């Protein structure tokens, strides 16, 4: 049996640990879209340094791990237009939902937030429908 599932388990544990450390360290929820959104719209000026440090860690850690994991198959499409459209749609969705999977799914559900459960269920259903539509019906990915 392939052991690829272990990487998802390890990644989930790391994200959960990061969320707990972020919450315990400064009393705020580790929602990636909220962290980025606060920098973009200026509402997070008073916490800009911690937001930038968080984002630097998100960007730099994979770079630092590149020598250890030389080949990683992400199963992404080669179609750049699909990637750009997906990124824009995710950004739009996180603004409409007032958060993303790290804020609602990891941090919200762990606090037993009804809003977190509803948002996460919506993300999962929308993602499943998107895969069926774009992969199996349209053949775009």
């Amino acid at each position: 049996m392939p052991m690829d599932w272990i990487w998802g388990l390890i990644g989930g544990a790391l994200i959960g640990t990061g969320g707990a450390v972020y919450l315990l360290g400064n009393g705020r929820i580790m929602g990636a879209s909220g962290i980025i959104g606060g920098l973009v719209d200026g509402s997070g000026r008073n916490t800009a340094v911690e937001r930038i440090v968080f984002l630097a860690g998100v960007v730099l850690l994979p770079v630092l791990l590149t020598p250890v994991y030389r080949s990683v198959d992400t199963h992404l499409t080669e179609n750049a237009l699909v990637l750009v459209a997906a990124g824009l749609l995710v950004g739009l969705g996180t603004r409409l939902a007032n958060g993303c999977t790290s804020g609602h799914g990891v941090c919200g559900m762990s606090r037993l937030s009804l809003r977190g459960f509803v948002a996460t269920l919506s993300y999962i259903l929308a993602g499943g429908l998107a895969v069926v539509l774009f992969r199996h019906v349209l053949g775009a990915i």
Side-chain angles (χ1 to χ4, degrees), residues 5-17:
W5 62 270
I6 195 75
W7 296 116
L9 182 64
I10 291 169
L14 287 172
I15 291 170
T17 302

Side-chain angles (χ1 to χ4, degrees), residues 91-139:
L92 176 65
T94 61
R95 277 311 204 189
L96 290 174
N98 285 329
C100 60
T101 52
S102 61
H104 286 301
V106 176
C107 299
M109 289 177 60
S110 66
R111 294 181 307 116
L112 302 177
S113 164
L114 178 60
R115 185 172 133 187
F117 280 99
V118 171
T120 303
L121 180 62
S122 299
Y123 294 148
I124 291 170
L125 290 174
L129 290 173
V131 167
V132 169
L133 176 66
F134 289 106
R135 174 168 284 170
H136 300 294
V137 175
L138 300 176

Side-chain angles (χ1 to χ4, degrees), residues 1 3-4 30-31 47 103 111 114-116 122 126:
M1 178 175 163
M3 294 292 292
D4 292 344
M30 183 200 73
T47 58
R111 294 181 307 116
L114 178 60
R115 185 172 133 187
S122 299

Side-chain angles (χ1 to χ4, degrees), residues 52-62:
I52 291 169
V53 168
F54 175 85
L55 293 172
V58 169
V59 171
L60 292 177
L61 186 60

